[in-house]
Amino acid sequence: MADYKAPLRDMRFLLNEVFEVAKQWETMPRLSETADPETADAILEEAAKISQSLLAPLNRSGDEEGCRWENGQVFTPAGFPQAYRTFIEGGWCGLGGNPEFGGMGMPKTIGAQVEEMIQSANISFGLYPMLTAGACLALDAHGADELREKYLPNMYSGIWSGSMCLTEPHSGTDLGIIRTKAEPQADGSYAVSGTKIFITGGEHDLSDNIIHLVLAKLPDAPAGPKGISLFLVPKFLVNEDGSLGARNTLGCGSIEHKMGIKASATCVMNFDGAKGWLVGELNKGLACMFTMMNYERLGVGVQGLAAAERSYQNAVEYARDRIQGRAATGPVAKDKAADPIIVHPDVRRMLMTIRAMNEGSRAFSTYVASFLDMAKYADDSATRVNAEALVALLTPVAKAFLTDRGFDSTVFGQQVFGGHGYIREWGQEQLVRDVRIAQIYEGTNGIQALDLMGRKVAANNGKFYELFANEVAAFIEANRENPALAEFIAPLSAAIERLSDVTEHVLNQVKSDPNAVGAASVDYLDLFGYTSFAYMWARMVLVAKSKVEGDTSGFYDSKIKTARFFFSRLLPKTMALAESVKSGAADTMALAAENF
Amino acid sequence: MKVLVAVKRVIDYNVKARVKADQTGVDLSNVKMAMNPFCEIAVEEAVRLKERGVATEVVVVSIGPKAAQEQIRTALALGADKGVHVETDVEVEALAVAKLLKAVVEKEQPGLIILGKQSIDTDNNQTGQMLAALCGYGQATFASEVTVSGDKVEVTREVDGGLRTVALKLPAIVTTDLRLNEPRYASLPNIMKAKKKPLETVSPADLGVDVTPRLKTLKVVEPAKRSAGIKVASVEELVSKLKNEAKVI
């Protein structure tokens, strides 16, 4: 397995040359206080170092050993507690946190790159701080000041970690039917009782305390999603002076035995009248969750990219090294018994596909992150509202498209290895297993597609979509006369027209067929994904074309060549997807349930 | 006590160095640069001395092009307090480096000066020794343990035969070996603080040092490729080859 090398050059290209994030920070006073290009660069360097040398070496051993449950205690694999200690000493848990409570206040555009490196090195490890960051976001946005003051500093420092307790045995996607109860107590707290499952980092040996954010219902709460409230329930109660007090009445019943991310503890959590405090308003628990949901969903999308990047690096090294067969155009390595397999077009097809999708994914996640930053930090409300709409629209695409394509890519990366890809020692099969969950958790990709098409497109009659389409149209208009871009502008125009056409078609279909959205949504999301990646590639190529002359590193030349591959070999998939979406729901629903 | 640490910007140890086509040197365009690993160890040792209350201030100095400020910032992010950048685009030789450092030493008056034993680009292993001679200070090279007590520093040195412990009067020069310590990762709060720490830029002329190279590089070539070995059929053949072809016995 190749040593992981963080793709810092590509990250710098996106941040500094394509999206010019520093210019964006300057317009936002709260960000310009903390973020500047030199500091951001130093952060990326250090994140690369810590990912490469601290986290990556624990990836396979963590997978082989897995977590262990013993009498309610959970032990992470060898090396994890020490690595976690080093990780939190670096302050990484608070990267994007609120500076008022000890966070670093860094923008998400930087956070997304740091997350990618951590997840490329070790997804299982990365999940522990990721859940803490998610819990902090929700707590910071909705918690009362006493709660924020009491909990956030130790969570940003990583001394305490966080978990998000949503799912119950009978209630996954449909949270409206949860049964966990919260009884109001005389002292203003709540007694929380119920069982939560699939709780990432619900119990482990990394941090001194675990702060659970739990969805529960009051006894007299309205039925359905409008009766859900959010509670902060710590593993150990915290005394007035901040020291740890008694153990709360909650515990880990068992951990799951899973396909992948084996070093991440996935827990069954039992709450038995556990003491908790309300976060945000009563019955507004789901809304509180949505604040952090966009961040988390983008983070999960980045996991797809991260696994695919690791798989790509391994596959490239193997394809250069492994000799088998001769090149179709004649022997290349004449002194050897065969040529390295990178000469074969089918191996190239797989490597180029992964590369084109990874670089597109990195651009897209950075692009969405820049809207998250604007939605949070922009001074004028018009910019914020616009950014919020684009975040809402693009986040489900980032989550589902990056993880679906990320999974495909890890399979390609495994395929390049032939039989060796199926052998554990090479590391490729672990990536396939580890990234598979990213398509499922944090809202399955089917749910993401429904969210995109139903809530984000149809529900507002295409208003959010128009914002995106207008931005792409403006880019096309600005570059229509640019001869360097001609080969890309025409297919990009065709793709965005196709997407707009299909969007309109679906908006019409919805009026007559309630199943229209559900049947078309996944194909629609893919169509949206490929089209927005075409926009990303056009923006990247615009910069690359202006800098390729005289560049001896080969970076810009490779960008342009990879862009061409994307446009000629991957973007045409949109034609098939458009046809499929337009065909409607009838054939999908025709078979009677009993005939399956 | 003030501690002065010298750090050098060099080609990253992970990079496979390539020689320029015209054989004038190593190709550094588009190549990742980093702090010399032995200098990282020197910074770490100084920061630890500060954490132990032995040192009161850690000043880090680098000599090189503008970009060398990245390495100074890295040292500041690891815990150094102040940076001095001697800016020059000349490829400065060991003696000129030692002279520049001597000028900085005179200005800063440190009690202890820590350097890496050598830089991984040119592997000269000269600067610390030259600086000691120029300053008239004692030197302890290849340190694997450094203990400061009062006006003395006790240094365990890695020598061919094992370990040798020497005691020096301060101020003194120490150069670091690999086993002295394991450098830490820079923490985020320190990375963010680093940009607010003072960084002073001076030129060799300000320090009154002529850095014009005295050596001329004739050419730089990559080491010859190792050719494939052969299998010998018998012990006699091996002995004969060693005697007649390799001429080693």
Side-chain angles (χ1 to χ4, degrees), chain A residues 195-223:
Chain A
T195 295
K196 295 285 180 180
I197 63 163
F198 298 166
I199 307 310
T200 303
E203 175 60 34
H204 53 74
D205 56 355
L206 302 178
S207 58
D208 297 347
N209 199 3
I210 302 174
I211 313 305
H212 305 283
L213 291 190
V214 185
L215 287 184
K217 288 185 155 186
L218 260 59
D220 56 352

Side-chain angles (χ1 to χ4, degrees), chain B residues 3-7 39 42-43 46-47 58-62 112-115:
Chain B
V3 178
L4 181 75
V5 182
V7 301
C39 301
V43 173
V47 172
V58 176
V59 180
V60 58
V61 53
S62 189
L112 184 66
I113 301 131
I114 313 181
L115 300 86

Side-chain angles (χ1 to χ4, degrees), chain A residues 578-593:
Chain A
E579 285 301 308
S580 166
V581 173
K582 282 160 109 178
S583 69
D587 295 336
T588 307
M589 302 305 291
L591 205 57

Side-chain angles (χ1 to χ4, degrees), chain A residues 178-309:
Chain A
I178 59 167
R179 289 182 195 140
T180 298
K181 282 273 168 287
E183 305 262 3
Q185 304 296 296
D187 64 354
S189 70
Y190 292 81
V192 177
S193 301
T195 295
K196 295 285 180 180
I197 63 163
F198 298 166
I199 307 310
T200 303
E203 175 60 34
H204 53 74
D205 56 355
L206 302 178
S207 58
D208 297 347
N209 199 3
I210 302 174
I211 313 305
H212 305 283
L213 291 190
V214 185
L215 287 184
K217 288 185 155 186
L218 260 59
D220 56 352
K226 292 201 166 74
I228 299 175
S229 305
L230 181 64
F231 298 90
L232 180 155
V233 188
K235 174 179 166 184
F236 288 100
L237 297 172
V238 179
N239 298 324
E240 280 312 308
D241 64 355
S243 61
L244 293 186
R247 173 97 200 220
N248 209 346
T249 48
L250 62 92
C252 173
S254 69
I255 55 173
E256 305 294 346
H257 304 100
K258 312 186 293 288
M259 174 182 178
I261 54 164
K262 294 186 181 205
S264 165
T266 307
C267 305
V268 173
M269 297 302 297
N270 298 314
F271 296 85
D272 189 11
K275 210 172 177 62
W277 289 268
L278 181 69
V279 175
E281 285 176 49
L282 271 181
N283 300 330
K284 297 268 171 70
L286 275 187
C288 295
M289 284 295 190
F290 277 118
T291 320
M292 62 107 212
M293 210 81 102
N294 285 328
Y295 278 83
E296 292 294 290
R297 287 184 170 169
L298 178 60
V300 171
V302 168
Q303 288 182 333
L305 158 63
E309 173 64 32

